[in-house]
Amino acid sequence: QKEVEQDPGPLSVPEGAIVSLNCTYSNSAFQYFMWYRQYSRKGPELLMYTYSSGNKEDGRFTAQVDKSSKYISLFIRDSQPSDSATYLCALRVAAGNKLTFGGGTRVLVKP
Amino acid sequence: GAVVSQHPSWVICKSGTSVKIECRSLDFQATTMFWYRQFPKQSLMLMATSNEGSKATYEQGVEKDKFLINHASLTLSTLTVTSAHPEDSSFYICSASHGASNEKLFFGSGTQLSVL
């Protein structure tokens, strides 16, 4: 079993819909939770960063962390074709330590 | 967010040659940088952790003599693929920690290496 599980997709939604992404993990020691967006042949771009449990909102993006269930989510409201990319969750036990990535979910937003 | 610059963005080389990839933190100092490798439609695989002024820490299965890492300053880390072979062809990405507690990780734009 992988440390971090993420559905590879592709997840196809119409423009304007809400995109719902999630990851599950097995290591309860994870404290830092991040979501990255990666376009093809580009480096990942940090979208959301959360420490410990709770919700965080930034523009059209909302990140949720439920440590009791070992489950994290990313929601994208009012999705645009430019949101079409691969979304990677990344978890970290402590600051300065290496990230553990999910496999990534490919998202397609159709006009 | 913080900016990490990676160069070159792509390189084609002949088998047996060495290739150097540079990773720079442009507006912050990075005591720790990470090097990843990514195959098509797969997630990032950590190769090594680079600490300024000390030897890099390599992940299991990564040959340190094959992938030489140098982190001579707080803003520059380099990865040299020595005696490259076609199986080394891949997308290489660096990242650097930033923040009051180095909690956030920012990535370079990646380097596509093709070995003929």
Side-chain angles (χ1 to χ4, degrees), chain A residues 76-90:
Chain A
I76 308 173
R77 291 183 298 279
D78 187 24
S79 58
Q80 305 295 313
S82 58
D83 293 326
S84 298
T86 296
Y87 290 81
L88 299 149
C89 64

Side-chain angles (χ1 to χ4, degrees), chain B residues 90-109:
Chain B
S90 188
F91 192 58
Y92 294 88
I93 315 175
C94 70
S95 65
S97 290
H98 182 53
S101 303
N102 287 327
E103 69 275 17
K104 296 182 181 179
L105 204 62
F106 293 91
F107 286 83
S109 54

Side-chain angles (χ1 to χ4, degrees), chain A residues 7-71:
Chain A
D7 189 323
L11 177 62
S12 183
V13 300
E15 183 175 357
I18 294 175
V19 177
S20 177
L21 304 163
N22 60 77
C23 288
T24 58
Y25 61 95
S26 56
N27 187 353
S28 59
F30 286 127
Q31 296 284 344
Y32 298 84
F33 307 91
M34 284 148 275
W35 285 95
Y36 287 86
R37 175 176 64 194
Q38 186 179 24
Y39 293 109
S40 182
R41 287 291 170 252
K42 296 291 184 183
E45 173 191 6
L46 181 63
L47 289 177
M48 299 292 283
Y49 162 84
T50 309
Y51 171 69
S52 195
S53 283
N55 295 354
K56 186 172 184 178
E57 188 173 320
D58 184 1
R60 296 186 296 116
F61 299 95
T62 299
Q64 293 182 348
V65 175
D66 182 349
K67 291 185 68 179
S68 62
S69 301
K70 299 188 182 69
Y71 187 90

